[in-house]
Amino acid sequence: MPVIAVHTAQDWCATPDAALEGLRDAAMAACSLRPAALTLLWQPYAAGRMIAPADRGACYCLVEIAMLAGRSPELKQSLALACIAALARFGVPPADIDICFAESRPADWFVAGRPLP
């Protein structure tokens, strides 16, 4: 049940819903997930509300992926590469994409109002 949040500058993507669909499809394929097990967020920031690293372009994206701890490095790499490929279809160069994984224990997650076992 990963949560994928894309933080980006406001103006570059005309179709964020399509970008989210592409990320959803990529994540489902990379992690063998069903659609109900995935939350995606597109967070555009107005001018001056996001300061990207100086060497990045106008399409800079910081992708935060929150997930349960214990996933293999191979699965995380597969998911990261799938996200990069999905964003590339919208013109984002790989050099403008940073991905951060945040892992937490099942005891730290509540899903549908209930703690995970």
Side-chain angles (χ1 to χ4, degrees), residues 7-13 42-47 50 57-61:
H7 303 275
T8 191
Q10 183 170 342
D11 296 333
W12 70 267
C13 186
W42 187 269
Q43 181 60 58
Y45 293 91
M50 179 181 198
C59 297
Y60 174 72
C61 294

Side-chain angles (χ1 to χ4, degrees), residues 83-104:
C83 289
I84 291 166
L87 289 169
R89 287 192 286 280
F90 290 86
V92 183
D96 281 353
I97 302 169
D98 291 339
I99 297 178
C100 171
F101 286 93
E103 297 180 284
S104 53

Side-chain angles (χ1 to χ4, degrees), residues 21-100:
E21 289 176 18
L23 283 166
R24 181 195 61 213
D25 294 345
M28 288 177 8
C31 299
S32 300
L33 296 171
R34 58 193 192 339
L38 183 61
T39 300
L40 294 115
L41 306 164
W42 187 269
Q43 181 60 58
Y45 293 91
R49 298 289 180 192
M50 179 181 198
I51 299 174
D55 62 345
R56 305 308 167 80
C59 297
Y60 174 72
C61 294
L62 170 62
V63 181
E64 291 183 291
I65 302 173
M67 59 193 324
L68 293 172
R71 303 297 183 242
S72 71
E74 294 81 14
L75 182 132
K76 289 188 270 186
Q77 181 174 354
S78 176
L79 179 54
L81 292 174
C83 289
I84 291 166
L87 289 169
R89 287 192 286 280
F90 290 86
V92 183
D96 281 353
I97 302 169
D98 291 339
I99 297 178
C100 171

